[in-house]
Amino acid sequence: RNYRSIAIDGPSGAGKSTLARLAAQALGFLYVDTGAIYRSVGLIALRAGLSPGDGDAVAALLPGIHLELCHGKDGLQRMYVNGEDVTGELRRPEVSSYASGVSAIPGVRAFLLDMQRDIAQKNDVVMDGRDIGTVVLPRADVKVFLSASPEERAARRFEELKARGDGSSYGEVLAQIELRDKNDSSRQVAPLKAAEDAVFLDTTGLPLEESLARLLRIIRGKL
Ligand code: C5P
């Protein structure tokens, strides 16, 4: 059978992971958070004491890494690195910076490409990331580019971090978001960019339910 795929791309904090997960639940599709995969590689580089910009050293770690995604009944994705559940560590701001750094390394992107495609070949998926519609699943049935203003994205991420007990200020979170936007959009390999056939959805000022309703309308209109 032919599996269906929905690609959701956009910058950090645009609400991709929450919206993609809820949309997947509504459609009965598997939700795949590709940011968590890059974050896992970032965490490994961080633990190894490497600089995220040291492409050769990070690439040298890859053959020894076994990454696994597991999905619970709640639709939440957990990440395992060589059998260890690292999910709880992935949203730390330090890991975010490392993820952004290692994601610019061509060897890292190539290493993760097959893994992402493989999942989409075996499941109906809603996959969120930066290059899903452009590189990973260029033939996705629906492509959505989700965005929101940097200030709104920083405010959301700030609330999320505060709820986790992280002490970062709003200013720090905004600066980090702007830096990641710049890194993600300007890198040579698979930069953050809307696919030509993507539908744009700007969630600035929209409550979650309204964003979800609009997203589902876009998806159902194309499936
Ligand atoms: O989406 P999330 O913020 O969890 O992603 C973490 C980092 O991983 C991003 O800043 C980006 O650099 C990288 N990433 C990527 N390609 C993807 C998903 C994430 O480069 N498909």
Side-chain angles (χ1 to χ4, degrees):
R1 73 171 267 217
N2 272 341
Y3 288 101
R4 288 162 300 170
S5 51
I6 319 289
I8 302 191
D9 291 301
S12 330
K16 290 190 307 289
S17 38
T18 306
L19 286 168
R21 181 171 51 81
L22 293 172
Q25 222 163 38
L27 297 161
F29 285 20
L30 189 69
Y31 163 56
V32 182
D33 171 5
T34 64
I37 311 177
Y38 284 92
R39 285 169 183 273
S40 302
V41 176
L43 177 67
I44 293 159
L46 175 66
R47 285 182 176 178
L50 302 178
S51 151
D54 189 344
D56 290 339
V58 176
L61 291 177
L62 298 175
I65 300 176
H66 180 70
L67 290 175
E68 250 178 312
L69 274 90
C70 288
H71 288 84
K73 287 210 172 65
D74 50 9
L76 289 177
Q77 173 183 310
R78 304 199 71 81
M79 287 298 313
Y80 292 79
V81 173
N82 296 334
E84 177 194 349
D85 183 349
V86 296
T87 315
E89 302 229 33
L90 300 181
R91 310 301 298 183
R92 282 166 42 203
E94 211 182 357
V95 177
S96 302
S97 308
Y98 262 75
S100 183
V102 301
S103 73
I105 303 168
V108 169
R109 301 206 74 86
F111 179 75
L112 299 181
L113 188 59
D114 285 343
M115 176 180 184
Q116 297 169 78
R117 286 186 175 156
D118 193 56
I119 298 169
Q121 255 152 34
K122 297 176 179 148
N123 303 275
D124 289 322
V125 294
V126 176
M127 193 174 280
D128 92 48
R130 301 293 186 290
D131 62 337
I132 309 306
T134 51
V135 176
V136 180
L137 305 175
R139 307 192 54 185
D141 298 281
V142 187
K143 300 180 185 178
V144 179
F145 195 83
L146 208 65
S147 66
S149 70
E151 292 75 18
E152 172 132 346
R153 292 188 280 120
R156 291 177 190 161
R157 193 44 65 84
F158 172 66
E159 291 304 328
E160 183 191 326
L161 289 170
K162 201 165 70 179
R164 281 166 204 267
D166 183 283
S168 311
S169 70
Y170 169 77
E172 284 164 351
V173 177
L174 178 60
Q176 220 213 12
I177 288 232
E178 288 178 331
L179 181 66
R180 271 213 286 155
D181 282 359
K182 192 162 153 272
N183 288 344
D184 292 350
S185 314
S186 63
R187 68 172 173 235
Q188 295 284 322
V189 200
L192 168 65
K193 196 176 76 186
E196 274 176 32
D197 48 351
V199 179
F200 280 77
L201 175 56
D202 186 333
T203 66
T204 308
L206 296 183
L208 180 64
E209 314 79 69
E210 178 59 22
S211 301
L212 178 62
R214 291 189 191 189
L215 177 60
L216 285 171
R217 215 174 299 143
I218 292 169
I219 294 173
R220 290 192 168 121
K222 296 211 164 229
L223 273 185

